Amino acid sequence: MRLQNNMFHIVRQDDTPAFDIALHADHVIYRAHFPGQPVTPGVCILQIIGELLEEHLHQALQLCQVKNLKFVRPLSPVDNNEVTVAFRHIDTDGDTVKTKGDITAEGATFTSFSIIYAKGD
């Protein structure tokens, strides 16, 4: 299931590999995770990263390996409705895409990542 335009939407994206996104605090997942104090689940963060990388590369990708996914602090759609997902490094080599980046807002880092994807059809 795609989360873009459902759990989040892109607020700004230019020619750089960075996206400002808005999280939808009223999404059903936040009612379960956690009521009254919503936190974005790690699996959803991983899906958001993949969808945005596909958007940037204009190519379907399949998750191959999570080398590092560090959740530095909880990402709440109430406390930080808008965040930046920045891909600091993207290496497209053969059939794989390797990326490193982070999710930040107002100088705070929420997630750092290093992920490998296979190029899709």
Side-chain angles (χ1 to χ4, degrees):
M1 178 169 100
R2 298 212 36 103
L3 298 180
Q4 185 174 344
N5 299 324
N6 188 3
M7 185 178 186
F8 77 96
H9 70 270
I10 298 171
V11 175
R12 183 197 62 80
Q13 193 261 332
D14 51 28
D15 293 334
T16 67
F19 294 80
D20 292 338
I21 65 168
L23 300 169
H24 300 172
D26 60 344
H27 190 271
V28 66
I29 196 74
Y30 291 121
R31 283 185 248 149
H33 202 267
F34 295 97
Q37 295 181 323
V39 175
T40 307
V43 69
C44 293
I45 291 172
L46 187 59
Q47 179 69 21
I48 290 168
I49 292 167
E51 288 182 24
L52 294 176
L53 187 58
E54 286 180 330
E55 180 92 12
H56 176 70
L57 296 175
H58 306 288
Q59 181 166 14
L61 301 171
Q62 183 176 354
L63 179 65
C64 280
Q65 181 180 10
V66 177
K67 294 187 67 92
N68 188 12
L69 188 59
K70 188 178 293 185
F71 301 109
V72 179
R73 61 184 55 174
L75 179 55
S76 167
V78 174
D79 298 335
N80 295 94
N81 170 263
E82 288 190 17
V83 296
T84 299
V85 180
F87 298 95
R88 291 182 277 107
H89 175 80
I90 300 172
D91 180 21
T92 55
D93 181 29
D95 293 334
T96 62
V97 177
K98 299 175 184 175
T99 188
K100 292 181 181 181
D102 46 43
I103 300 175
T104 61
E106 300 174 6
T109 299
F110 294 91
T111 304
S112 295
F113 56 86
S114 176
I115 305 171
I116 300 173
Y117 295 90
K119 293 179 182 176
D121 298 331

XYZ file of all heavy atoms in Angstrom, residues 1-4 7-8 21 23 27-30 33 39-52 69 71 75 85 103 111 117:
279
model
N 0.839 -1.184 0.000
C 0.000 0.000 0.000
C 0.881 1.244 0.000
O 1.813 1.353 0.789
C -0.890 0.003 1.233
C -1.753 1.245 1.312
S -3.027 1.133 2.555
C -2.273 2.067 3.859
N 0.577 2.140 -0.893
C 1.319 3.394 -0.959
C 0.821 4.328 0.133
O -0.381 4.408 0.399
C 1.157 4.024 -2.326
C 1.737 3.097 -3.380
C 2.343 3.698 -4.574
N 3.064 4.917 -4.512
C 4.396 4.994 -4.531
N 5.126 3.915 -4.541
N 4.984 6.155 -4.546
N 1.752 5.012 0.743
C 1.407 5.940 1.814
C 1.292 7.383 1.321
O 0.637 8.198 1.954
C 2.448 5.854 2.929
C 2.557 4.494 3.622
C 3.616 4.533 4.710
C 1.219 4.053 4.188
N 1.942 7.674 0.177
C 1.892 9.041 -0.345
C 0.463 9.411 -0.691
O -0.271 8.623 -1.283
C 2.784 9.182 -1.563
C 2.870 10.614 -2.063
C 3.865 10.783 -3.193
O 4.700 9.930 -3.430
N 3.765 11.885 -3.887
N -1.061 8.807 3.984
C -0.505 9.066 5.314
C 0.351 10.332 5.328
O 0.575 10.933 6.364
C 0.330 7.874 5.770
C 0.844 7.995 7.171
S 1.772 6.499 7.597
C 2.099 6.830 9.304
N 0.832 10.717 4.151
C 1.625 11.943 4.025
C 1.453 12.508 2.621
O 0.985 11.814 1.716
C 3.111 11.675 4.297
C 3.841 10.996 3.156
C 4.560 11.737 2.235
C 3.800 9.620 3.003
C 5.218 11.113 1.179
C 4.460 8.990 1.961
C 5.170 9.740 1.040
N 7.788 17.032 3.577
C 6.518 16.315 3.573
C 5.702 16.701 4.800
O 6.246 17.123 5.821
C 6.709 14.782 3.531
C 7.390 14.265 4.803
C 7.478 14.374 2.284
C 7.340 12.738 4.949
N 2.914 15.082 7.420
C 2.301 13.853 7.923
C 0.844 14.133 8.275
O 0.524 15.181 8.834
C 3.055 13.363 9.164
C 4.532 13.049 8.946
C 5.237 12.842 10.277
C 4.697 11.837 8.049
N -4.585 10.141 10.064
C -4.518 8.825 9.416
C -4.797 7.725 10.441
O -4.419 7.817 11.605
C -3.148 8.612 8.775
C -3.082 7.410 7.894
N -2.743 6.169 8.376
C -3.346 7.249 6.579
C -2.789 5.293 7.375
N -3.145 5.928 6.277
N -5.443 6.663 9.995
C -5.882 5.581 10.878
C -4.726 4.951 11.667
O -4.903 4.538 12.815
C -6.676 4.518 10.090
C -5.794 3.800 9.082
C -7.344 3.546 11.029
N -3.546 4.880 11.077
C -2.413 4.242 11.774
C -2.080 4.963 13.080
O -1.678 4.332 14.052
C -1.160 4.146 10.863
C -0.153 3.161 11.454
C -0.499 5.494 10.672
C -0.522 1.735 11.327
N -2.278 6.281 13.095
C -1.949 7.046 14.308
C -2.965 6.835 15.425
O -2.656 7.067 16.589
C -1.811 8.534 13.987
C -0.595 8.836 13.151
C -0.715 9.438 11.907
C 0.684 8.524 13.601
C 0.404 9.727 11.135
C 1.804 8.801 12.837
C 1.656 9.403 11.613
O 2.768 9.689 10.852
N -1.363 3.826 16.956
C 0.077 3.912 17.261
C 0.457 5.341 17.616
O 1.138 6.000 16.830
C 0.873 3.446 16.027
C 2.261 2.994 16.311
N 3.348 3.825 16.243
C 2.749 1.789 16.644
C 4.450 3.138 16.503
N 4.101 1.885 16.749
N 2.763 8.354 17.081
C 4.163 8.201 16.667
C 4.155 7.451 15.333
O 3.418 6.474 15.164
C 4.976 7.406 17.715
C 6.384 7.149 17.220
C 5.003 8.152 19.043
N 4.984 7.904 14.404
C 5.072 7.248 13.100
C 5.824 5.928 13.259
O 6.980 5.922 13.689
C 5.790 8.158 12.088
O 5.148 9.440 12.085
C 5.746 7.559 10.697
N 5.204 4.807 12.908
C 5.869 3.508 13.032
C 7.098 3.422 12.120
O 7.109 3.977 11.018
C 4.801 2.509 12.585
C 3.503 3.229 12.728
C 3.809 4.665 12.456
N 8.104 2.694 12.575
C 9.333 2.536 11.808
C 9.105 1.963 10.432
O 9.723 2.387 9.453
N 8.202 0.995 10.306
C 7.923 0.397 9.004
C 7.315 1.435 8.058
O 7.576 1.410 6.850
C 7.032 -0.861 9.142
C 5.626 -0.499 9.581
C 7.022 -1.660 7.860
N 6.549 2.369 8.575
C 5.980 3.437 7.747
C 7.076 4.417 7.325
O 7.078 4.892 6.181
C 4.871 4.163 8.495
S 3.410 3.136 8.783
N 8.001 4.710 8.225
C 9.131 5.574 7.869
C 9.929 4.933 6.740
O 10.301 5.605 5.775
C 10.004 5.855 9.106
C 9.232 6.743 10.096
C 11.332 6.498 8.701
C 9.910 6.935 11.433
N 10.171 3.648 6.831
C 10.901 2.928 5.784
C 10.144 2.994 4.451
O 10.747 3.220 3.397
C 11.111 1.482 6.220
C 11.996 0.614 5.352
C 13.405 1.186 5.232
C 12.060 -0.796 5.923
N 8.841 2.836 4.482
C 8.020 2.916 3.269
C 8.052 4.330 2.682
O 8.157 4.494 1.466
C 6.585 2.489 3.573
C 5.642 2.557 2.391
C 5.923 1.541 1.309
O 6.560 0.517 1.546
N 5.457 1.815 0.106
N 7.966 5.344 3.522
C 8.017 6.735 3.059
C 9.341 7.010 2.348
O 9.366 7.602 1.264
C 7.800 7.708 4.238
C 6.344 7.638 4.720
C 8.179 9.136 3.847
C 6.085 8.338 6.043
N 10.442 6.560 2.925
C 11.760 6.747 2.313
C 11.776 6.111 0.923
O 12.210 6.743 -0.047
C 12.865 6.154 3.209
C 13.004 6.953 4.502
C 14.207 6.099 2.464
C 13.831 6.267 5.581
N 11.303 4.886 0.812
C 11.287 4.193 -0.467
C 10.425 4.897 -1.506
O 10.826 5.051 -2.665
N 9.251 5.335 -1.105
C 8.362 6.016 -2.042
C 8.971 7.323 -2.539
O 8.859 7.664 -3.727
C 7.000 6.273 -1.399
C 6.186 5.008 -1.223
C 4.808 5.256 -0.630
O 4.277 6.388 -0.766
O 4.249 4.311 -0.037
N 9.616 8.063 -1.649
C 10.224 9.329 -2.055
C 11.429 9.109 -2.956
O 11.647 9.873 -3.908
C 10.597 10.164 -0.830
C 9.408 10.654 -0.004
C 9.894 11.383 1.243
C 8.490 11.540 -0.828
N 19.269 1.821 10.014
C 18.057 2.616 10.164
C 17.982 3.001 11.639
O 17.588 2.200 12.477
C 16.825 1.808 9.733
C 15.506 2.554 9.641
C 15.585 3.713 8.648
C 14.396 1.602 9.235
N 16.573 5.241 14.568
C 15.489 6.102 15.029
C 16.015 6.900 16.213
O 16.055 6.407 17.336
C 14.264 5.269 15.386
C 13.758 4.447 14.234
C 13.905 3.064 14.231
C 13.164 5.056 13.149
C 13.450 2.308 13.169
C 12.710 4.302 12.075
C 12.850 2.924 12.085
N 8.946 10.284 15.849
C 8.415 11.237 14.880
C 6.902 11.310 15.041
O 6.167 10.387 14.670
C 8.789 10.800 13.460
C 8.289 11.669 12.316
C 8.725 13.118 12.502
C 8.810 11.126 10.991
N 12.853 14.967 4.329
C 13.515 13.699 4.044
C 14.580 14.019 3.003
O 14.255 14.371 1.869
C 12.537 12.632 3.513
C 13.269 11.328 3.225
C 11.396 12.410 4.506
N 16.006 12.166 8.178
C 14.737 12.864 8.311
C 14.912 13.861 9.442
O 15.274 13.482 10.567
C 13.581 11.889 8.606
C 13.444 10.872 7.468
C 12.274 12.657 8.817
C 12.415 9.788 7.712
N 15.455 10.422 12.105
C 15.872 9.133 11.556
C 17.068 9.341 10.643
O 17.100 10.295 9.871
C 14.736 8.490 10.727
O 13.569 8.385 11.545
C 15.124 7.119 10.212
N 18.372 -0.710 -2.470
C 17.187 -1.115 -3.214
C 17.612 -1.772 -4.521
O 18.665 -1.462 -5.077
C 16.313 0.097 -3.571
C 15.716 0.796 -2.384
C 16.385 1.843 -1.758
C 14.478 0.422 -1.880
C 15.844 2.491 -0.663
C 13.924 1.068 -0.785
C 14.611 2.103 -0.178
O 14.063 2.744 0.895
